[in-house]
Amino acid sequence: MNQGRPFVYADARLKCDGVDVAELAEQFGTPLYVYSANQIAERAGLFQTAFAGVSHTVCYAVKANSSLAILKMLAAQGCGFDIVSGGELARVLAAGGRDVASRVVFSGVGKTAAEMDEALDAEILQFNVESEPELELLAARAAAKGKRARIALRVNPDVSAETHPYISTGLSAHKFGIGIKLARAVYTRAAAMPSIETTGVSVHIGSQIRQVEPFAEALAKTLALVAELRSDGHQIRYVDAGGGLGIEYADKDFDAAEQVAHYAAALKSALGSMDVHLLLEPGRFLVGQAGALITRVLYRKQNGDKKFVIVDAGMNDLIRPALYQAHHEIVPVVTREGSLDEEADIVGPVCESGDFFARARTLPVSEDGDLLAVLDAGAYGLSLSSNYNTRLRPAEVLVESTGARLVRRRETYEELFAPEMP
């Protein structure tokens, strides 16, 4: 099993599931994202095993990494999908076919009428509705199509999650969901709409949460609401427990199986004997440690006592350090015997002072042309990337049991300019 990091050294060279990373960089260029298919499948399998005694569906959070190749692999493994846009719905259908729509839940606070129409036509499993105006629009769109939209209200349980404030979503101060104390009245209103079917309740308290207690607390509050709703006559079948289970970016010995087991035990304890179908939405946990961003050293410079290692990847390729002050381990792709360490900032070429991957990081001394790997970059890497500074986004390589294959080629300037009309 490969539940830790799939990037390990052999003969002083970094390998991904046995494939030489330096050779991939030479073949496909840099910056380059490299993913382990084996680990993504294993991580999905951990959830399926841990919840084997519970009626459930693992709905991968597409926003973490929306690579068609990864979506296709997870669909074949029986996963469903948590989407937050019409574009993500299109990706899921392109990767898994129309049949996978029955395992899709649509979250997000700003669904448009066009997106609702696309999801209604696809006959997705459930809309996770986040406001009363959204409910009214969805009811109107479903009525216009002669359909009934299956909904869960996303309730805000006012549970605090110890995570970055930008990715905490479960407090009343956040834009997400409907206050749990108001939900019962909204369900009564929804049930009176002929084009709406109240089938579930949804909750999601944030991302990169490493303690399981907040998940159990949020689920317990949600299940108490389910009991009330059933007493009101609502046929609640699904409870969407959301996602957000975190990984350890700096812990090389992180035990993924143990973490999932603790998470499952906490949710099962909260669930008790209640008969519901549980929807789980892991994202980062499946793909985060399966990926690395490979970058090449362009230059070294020193301003006074401050040393800088300038690489060819930038904040447009991986924005997490700049946006979230996130820590990513950075390692040489090829090590040198007897190499000394130094403290330096690892920075990119983008014209922003916030364009950095690490500050005051102690690493082996590198030379121009050396390759570095930014680890644990499989989640919110390319999916948050941009073309800022008119930079072409990286290519992506998926390492499978049959070897490595290019799953997204590097963009061209012609493709970048194509939508523009000078």
Side-chain angles (χ1 to χ4, degrees), residues 96-403:
R98 303 293 296 188
D99 291 344
V100 80
S102 65
R103 305 196 299 270
V104 169
V105 294
F106 195 165
S107 305
V109 300
K111 305 178 189 71
T112 66
E115 290 174 324
M116 290 176 179
D117 288 349
E118 292 162 1
L120 286 165
D121 289 341
E123 299 183 350
I124 67 168
L125 174 63
Q126 185 172 274
F127 291 85
N128 289 342
V129 172
E130 305 219 17
S131 67
E132 291 186 71
E134 179 191 332
L135 175 63
E136 292 169 1
L137 178 58
L138 179 59
R141 298 314 305 167
K145 290 180 168 291
K147 295 176 178 288
R148 293 190 78 198
R150 291 179 292 272
I151 72 142
L153 294 187
R154 176 173 172 177
V155 296
N156 190 317
D158 208 23
V159 169
S160 178
E162 297 296 325
T163 187
H164 192 283
Y166 288 4
I167 51 178
S168 178
T169 64
L171 295 175
S172 57
H174 299 138
K175 70 179 181 179
F176 299 97
I178 294 171
I180 196 165
K181 294 179 181 178
L182 304 174
R184 197 170 179 181
V186 180
Y187 271 99
T188 297
R189 185 179 173 199
M193 299 175 175
S195 59
I196 295 295
E197 182 183 0
T198 54
T199 56
V201 182
S202 172
V203 65
H204 178 68
I205 58 173
S207 182
Q208 186 49 11
I209 303 167
R210 286 160 290 188
Q211 302 299 317
V212 299
E213 290 79 11
F215 295 114
E217 181 184 354
L219 184 58
K221 289 185 175 184
T222 303
L223 292 170
L225 174 62
V226 170
E228 293 177 343
L229 294 174
R230 285 180 169 176
S231 71
D232 291 341
H234 299 282
Q235 301 298 312
I236 303 298
R237 305 191 298 275
Y238 299 102
V239 171
D240 189 335
L245 185 62
I247 60 175
E248 295 292 343
Y249 283 90
D251 184 357
K252 295 182 175 63
D253 298 320
F254 173 63
D255 191 328
E258 183 179 45
Q259 182 75 338
V260 174
H262 288 163
Y263 172 73
L267 265 59
K268 286 178 181 179
S269 177
L271 190 61
S273 60
M274 184 170 281
D275 181 20
V276 294
H277 185 93
L278 201 59
L279 302 175
L280 306 162
E281 298 176 355
R284 180 197 318 264
F285 201 92
L286 301 194
V287 296
Q289 293 180 313
L293 175 61
I294 313 305
T295 184
R296 191 176 295 277
V297 175
L298 297 175
Y299 310 105
R300 297 174 48 83
K301 66 179 293 185
Q302 187 163 345
N303 287 341
D305 294 332
K306 189 73 171 177
K307 294 180 180 179
F308 298 90
V309 176
I310 303 169
V311 298
D312 64 358
M315 64 184 290
N316 72 294
D317 305 311
L318 179 65
I319 200 172
R320 294 191 71 256
L323 183 61
Y324 300 122
Q325 300 78 50
H327 176 94
H328 287 263
E329 290 292 300
I330 301 173
V331 299
V333 172
V334 179
T335 63
R336 294 188 182 89
E337 187 175 355
S339 176
L340 300 176
D341 288 345
E342 66 176 354
E343 184 180 279
D345 286 10
I346 313 302
V347 302
V350 172
C351 193
E352 296 280 347
S353 294
D355 180 30
F356 65 90
F357 295 114
R359 285 179 166 155
R361 185 71 63 84
T362 299
L363 291 171
V365 174
S366 58
E367 300 177 0
D368 294 0
D370 283 355
L371 294 167
L372 299 177
V374 184
L375 299 178
D376 304 336
Y380 305 105
L382 198 74
S383 65
L384 271 173
S385 67
S386 74
N387 295 114
Y388 185 46
N389 284 188
T390 309
R391 285 172 49 83
L392 302 177
R393 286 178 295 178
E396 294 176 291
V397 167
L398 185 64
V399 177
E400 301 170 305
S401 58
T402 54

